[in-house]
Structure formats: structure tokens, C-alpha cells
Amino acid sequence: MNVKKIFGPPGSGKTTYLLNIVEQELERGISPVDIGYFAFTRKAATEAKERAIAKFPHLNGDKDFPWCRTLHSLAYKCLGINQKDMMSAENYQEFGQQAGISVNVSFGDESFVTQVDNPLLNEINIARIRGQDLRSYYNSTKMAYEWHHFEFIERSYRHYKHSKNLLDFTDLLEHLLLDPDRLPNLQTVIIDEAQDLSRLQWNIVNELVARSVTGYIAGDDDQAVYTWAGADVASFLSLPGEIKVLEQSYRVPATVHNLSYTVVNRIRS
């Protein structure tokens, strides 16, 4: 297995670089269905697919690029999940009433996801995506909640989902990792926005790359701004592999670029 890490600042042509890799793989005779392009956000995955279709008009976007998606969408597809299997807005409201907490819901990044906002549920989810047990996570934070209340909400939430046979956003990745043989065996795996991936998502990435011949992991550690939400940039930095740096930005003006470096150069890691 050969792994290359691509570091690219804003406007450095990272997506173009990755699509050129796709083109090279196709020219080598690799089928597009054997190429996976996975991004942190649906927007990035969709942009990559649209640009791939524009670049390779003889190919069908949905049929020939089935593995151009987010990691959660990958899990959704591999597990054979339906919308009815997922926690809905009504389910979250019902759980909130039962647990005595206020739960705000909205549409998530993916069409099959209901996004929930509640301080306790948010903290519980961060513990999960970081791979920490609940007590250790609680002890490492300065929450304004008593442990017994925090633990009660987590236990009640698990019980509610189990009683309804429903999954939430994070369950998708957790369940897939329990049965990783459901993952596709791809020739080439491309990961974009790697600086934003959580520890849980990195576990999926490692499984994907282990099953592939070549892996390309792309991101920008200087844009790692989601550690508060569980992003694990350390896994990106420590991942062994050949390094390629895209040094030229075609979007950021020189004055802004130079100013940003006075900040970036203070980042020790």
C-alpha cells in the first residue's frame, strides 16, 4: 500500500490536483468504480463529482462514480440504511420531552441526517467521535453539569434509540466499524479535507486505505479549526507517507498571504 499526503493552502488547486490523480488512474486502466473520493463535507464531495463529470463527460456521475461521497454517506450506503432507520426531527423532539431537555433540530449536511443542537447531546457526541469513554471525557472537561445528569442523558439517549431501532449520524460510522468487511475494496482512495476528520472518521479512513493499493490524503493542517468539535489533525500529521506540498496559492492576495504567515508560523506542530 502506497500513501501520499498532500498539503494545500486555500486556492492552491488542491481539488484540481486530486482530479488529476483521478485522470491518471483512469489512464492507467483503473475503473472509476474502483476509485473512492471521500470528503469531510457533502459540498466538497459534490464539487469533486461535478468537476469530475465535466472533465470526463463520457462517464456517468452517479453510475461511474459511486464512491464520491462523504464518509457518513459511505457508511449509509454500505450498511444499506434507509431514511426510516434514522433519528428524525420528531424522534429528537420526543426524546427531549422524555428526558426533560430542550432539543433544537434542523436539516443536516446530508439529506438523511437530522442535525440536533443541545449542549449535553453535543458533548456526548464529541466523546463518541473522539473515541473516549464518557467518564474520561467528562473528567477532562469543565462542564456546568453534574456527572449523574450527564450520564443519565447519555444512557437515556442510547435506550431511546435502541427501543425505536434507530440510528443517529455517529452510529453510522460506529456500526460500520463493527462490520468493516462491508467497506468496498478500492484500487485508489482519495481523502479530502483531512484536517477536519475526527478520530472515528480516521478509523474508517484507515480501513479504506488498508484495503486499497494507493491512498492520497489531502488537507491543510493550518486550517485545522474544528478541534473543539472533535477534529483530530494529529492523525493527519502523524500518518506515514510521502509528502507533497502545494506551495502556490492562486486565490489569496500576497498581502493577505504574508500577514497570515505571521500567525501560521507560530503554530508549533
Side-chain angles (χ1 to χ4, degrees), residues 22 26 30-39 45-46 48-49 52-53 59-78 110 183-186 188 208:
V22 174
L26 293 174
I30 303 298
S31 170
V33 298
D34 290 324
I35 300 173
Y37 192 116
F38 305 102
T46 300
K49 179 184 285 190
I53 296 170
L59 297 176
N60 180 284
D62 293 323
K63 186 182 76 171
D64 295 321
F65 290 99
W67 306 114
C68 187
R69 53 184 63 235
T70 66
L71 292 171
H72 286 88
S73 174
L74 167 69
Y76 187 84
K77 178 180 176 66
C78 290
E110 297 284 1
L183 284 165
N185 294 312
L186 302 169
T188 306
L208 281 168

Side-chain angles (χ1 to χ4, degrees), residues 4 9 11 20 42 54 57 60 116 120 124 183-184 190 197 209 224 248 263:
K4 175 178 283 189
N20 286 340
R42 183 184 183 188
N60 180 284
V116 59
L120 286 163
I124 290 167
L183 284 165
I190 299 171
L197 301 182
V209 172
Q248 174 66 49
V263 177

Side-chain angles (χ1 to χ4, degrees), residues 147-203:
W147 159 250
H148 66 85
H149 183 51
F150 186 56
E151 190 271 338
F152 167 76
I153 296 298
E154 190 275 338
R155 180 162 34 87
S156 299
Y157 183 52
R158 279 190 291 111
H159 175 75
Y160 179 88
K161 289 187 297 178
H162 180 73
S163 68
K164 301 284 187 178
N165 198 27
L166 295 172
L167 303 177
D168 67 13
F169 199 45
T170 302
D171 284 322
L172 292 173
L173 300 185
E174 292 178 337
H175 281 232
L176 184 56
L177 284 170
L178 292 175
D179 192 8
D181 287 339
R182 289 177 176 267
L183 284 165
N185 294 312
L186 302 169
Q187 286 286 317
T188 306
V189 169
I190 299 171
I191 307 295
D192 199 1
E193 303 178 312
Q195 77 278 352
D196 294 329
L197 301 182
S198 67
R199 176 68 58 85
L200 185 59
Q201 289 173 309
W202 275 109
N203 290 339

